[in-house]
C-alpha cells in the first residue's frame, strides 16, 4: 500500500464526492468534513460511486440504486452483493491522502 494525494481538502464539499484519475479510480467522500475513500467502481456493474447520491454516510449507486456504507464499503441494499474496498484516509496539511494498493498489489 502507498499513500497518494487524492485531492485538496477544499476540493470536495460536505456531502459530495469526487473520483480520482488513477486506475482503478477511488471515490473520495466528505461526510461532515470527515473524509472517506472507497473503490469507485460499483460491485454490481461498472458505475462510478462518486457519481452516486450521497445521503449522510451512505452512497446510493446512480445506475441501479445499490447502497453502500461510505465508512466501511459494506453493501446496505441490493442489487450489489459484494462490498467495495474501503481505504484509509489521512489529512496532511491541505491534502487528502489515501492509502491505496501499489500497482500489482491486490486491495
Ligand atoms: S452498477 Fe451500481 S447498482 Fe448496478
Amino acid at each position: 500500500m502507498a499513500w497518494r494525494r487524492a485531492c485538496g481538502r477544499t476540493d470536495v464539499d460536505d456531502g459530495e464526492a469526487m473520483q480520482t484519475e488513477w486506475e482503478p479510480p477511488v471515490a473520495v467522500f466528505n461526510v461532515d468534513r470527515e473524509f472517506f475513500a472507497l473503490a469507485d467502481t460499483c460491485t454490481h456493474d461498472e458505475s462510478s460511486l462518486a457519481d452516486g447520491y450521497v445521503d449522510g454516510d451512505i452512497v446510493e449507486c446512480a445506475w441501479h440504486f445499490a447502497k453502500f456504507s461510505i465508512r466501511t464499503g459494506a453493501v446496505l441494499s441490493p442489487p450489489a452483493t459484494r462490498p467495495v474496498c474501503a481505504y484509509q484516509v489521512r489529512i496532511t496539511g491541505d491534502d487528502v491522502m489515501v492509502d491505496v494498493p501499489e500497482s500489482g498489489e491486490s486491495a
Side-chain angles (χ1 to χ4, degrees), residues 20-101:
T20 67
E21 292 176 2
W22 320 323
E23 281 301 324
V26 168
V28 176
F29 297 89
N30 177 340
V31 177
D32 277 338
R33 293 174 295 285
E34 196 176 351
F35 290 87
F36 298 91
L38 300 177
D40 183 56
T41 305
C42 181
T43 55
H44 174 243
D45 205 338
E46 301 270 308
S47 184
S48 163
L49 292 179
D51 289 341
Y53 311 104
V54 176
D55 182 11
D57 60 0
I58 294 170
V59 59
E60 183 178 54
C61 180
W63 281 9
H64 314 104
F65 314 116
K67 292 181 182 177
F68 297 89
S69 165
I70 290 172
R71 295 178 185 274
T72 67
V75 181
L76 302 176
S77 73
T81 57
R82 289 175 293 124
V84 289
C85 284
Y87 302 112
Q88 283 192 293
V89 174
R90 75 179 179 205
I91 304 299
T92 303
D94 285 331
D95 296 331
V96 179
M97 308 293 294
V98 181
D99 195 18
V100 288

